[in-house]
Amino acid sequence: MHDNTRTTSPDLLTPALNRRCALLGTLGLLALPATHAAAAAPAKSKQSHPAVWPHASQVPGGVARLSLGPGAKRPTAFAGDVPLLVMGDVIEWTALVGIPLAAKPGEASITVRAENGGSERQVAYTVTDKQYREQRLTVAPRTVDLSPEDEARYVRERDHQAGVMATLTDLRPDASLQMRVPVPGRRSSSFGLRRVFNGQSRNPHSGMDIAAGTGTPVLAPLPGRVIDTGDYFFNGGTVWLDHGGGLLTMYCHLSRVDVKVGDVLKTGEPLAAVGATGRVTGPHLHWGVMLNRAMVDPALFIQT
Ligand SMILES: [Zn+2]
């Protein structure tokens, strides 16, 4: 699938990424306090902290969990100028950083501001390289070589989705970020695959495909609010949910949408039905998880 192929394209995300990368040259050279070095080290914390959600995976398309230490109030943190989700309590605050699929391996950093607005500091981490495999797919030619009308439609939809993806609301204070799988079915491990449609390279696959028949109910993986519904050129029938703190989820290729913008859902409530709309090879759910405007691997949020 397909969706992000351009609609949730890294094209839209590169400004923040470039700013982040631009910081690297200087910040990567800074000596880190021991606590930050320790926080950046456990790229393998998926193994060492299996009950922590999301799991840490400091690769393109993964999530970094960066300790910000103790503090009386929740600090604010940014990747470039994009606010980050900060979890925890006075004992230890943790910034969750969605790492874009287009991120370059190497040193990266976030900016942390104390709640009182006084001090500002950088916390560095390392993005480890990950080689995603290539996947070749055959789809309807009109979804690869777009007509002028379809190109114009795509551009309109891309701009609209950019606004949706910038949604930022408060996180519920008691939020657990462990997600329920939105539909039962075989889950592909196709996140991040470099996609070649009809022989032409396109953007990588930015979500998880779950095999399920047309009409299978899609259930909310966390409490959330519907922030967008539509029928888009690449993504087909689509719903976006906002879970707060810059954590969004998207559902694509739907045969039916059962919610409207503004609806508030509890975990497990149905929102739509699986389908084969948009650019697809057959019925399935495409499930995307976005953190600070980066599409990240949904597998980091679910029990596997
Ligand atoms: Zn997909």
Side-chain angles (χ1 to χ4, degrees):
M1 231 252 19
H2 352 78
D3 47 283
N4 77 329
T5 293
R6 288 193 293 186
T7 310
T8 57
S9 143
D11 295 351
L12 301 171
L13 309 175
T14 44
L17 178 63
N18 288 342
R19 278 190 289 278
R20 187 188 299 181
C21 291
L23 292 168
L24 303 186
T26 49
L27 300 171
L29 301 175
L30 296 175
L32 290 173
T35 52
H36 300 149
K44 305 282 190 230
S45 59
K46 181 172 180 175
Q47 285 76 37
S48 54
H49 302 288
V52 172
W53 307 97
H55 300 313
S57 176
Q58 293 185 190
V59 300
V63 175
R65 302 180 58 92
L66 305 180
S67 175
L68 306 183
K73 292 187 173 176
R74 185 187 304 264
T76 55
F78 300 84
D81 59 1
V82 180
L84 298 171
L85 202 165
V86 177
M87 306 280 293
D89 54 33
V90 297
I91 304 300
E92 183 182 29
W93 299 104
T94 300
L96 303 183
V97 187
I99 304 171
L101 272 166
K104 296 282 181 287
E107 292 299 306
S109 68
I110 64 171
T111 302
V112 181
R113 290 187 198 132
E115 183 59 32
N116 59 23
S119 60
E120 183 172 300
R121 61 193 170 101
Q122 304 293 322
V123 175
Y125 63 101
T126 302
V127 177
T128 304
D129 194 13
K130 179 168 182 176
Q131 293 295 327
Y132 289 104
R133 287 178 298 112
E134 180 180 280
Q135 184 176 39
R136 306 182 79 87
L137 297 168
T138 302
V139 294
R142 63 173 281 273
T143 64
V144 179
D145 294 307
L146 272 56
S147 68
E149 293 77 15
D150 287 340
E151 180 73 23
R153 175 183 169 186
Y154 155 69
V155 168
R156 281 196 309 276
E157 294 177 353
R158 178 195 62 189
D159 293 348
H160 169 74
Q161 300 257 318
V164 173
M165 291 187 284
T167 301
L168 181 67
T169 58
D170 286 341
L171 188 73
R172 290 178 310 124
D174 62 338
S176 162
L177 300 186
Q178 179 179 3
M179 294 190 186
R180 170 181 175 152
V181 178
V183 299
R186 188 179 56 79
R187 301 194 292 266
S188 78
S189 55
S190 60
F191 179 86
L193 294 189
R194 292 173 293 122
R195 287 274 166 106
V196 181
F197 288 99
N198 301 359
Q200 298 187 43
S201 290
R202 290 295 185 265
N203 286 337
H205 187 233
S206 65
M208 171 186 283
D209 289 343
I210 305 177
T214 295
T216 306
V218 178
L219 311 178
L222 281 180
R225 189 174 61 91
V226 179
I227 53 170
D228 192 58
T229 67
D231 179 14
Y232 299 116
F233 184 77
F234 289 118
N235 295 350
T238 297
V239 173
W240 282 86
L241 297 183
D242 171 26
H243 306 290
L247 178 64
L248 313 178
T249 54
M250 74 183 303
Y251 307 84
C252 302
H253 311 311
L254 305 169
S255 60
R256 197 182 70 234
V257 171
D258 298 326
V259 292
K260 61 184 187 306
V261 171
D263 286 354
V264 175
L265 303 178
K266 299 187 181 77
T267 301
E269 283 196 287
L271 57 100
V274 171
T277 54
R279 182 162 66 185
V280 294
T281 55
H284 68 280
L285 176 69
H286 174 90
W287 179 32
V289 175
M290 175 166 270
L291 187 58
N292 52 268
R293 301 184 204 173
M295 299 301 306
V296 297
D297 189 352
L300 300 173
F301 290 79
I302 59 175
Q303 188 83 52
T304 54

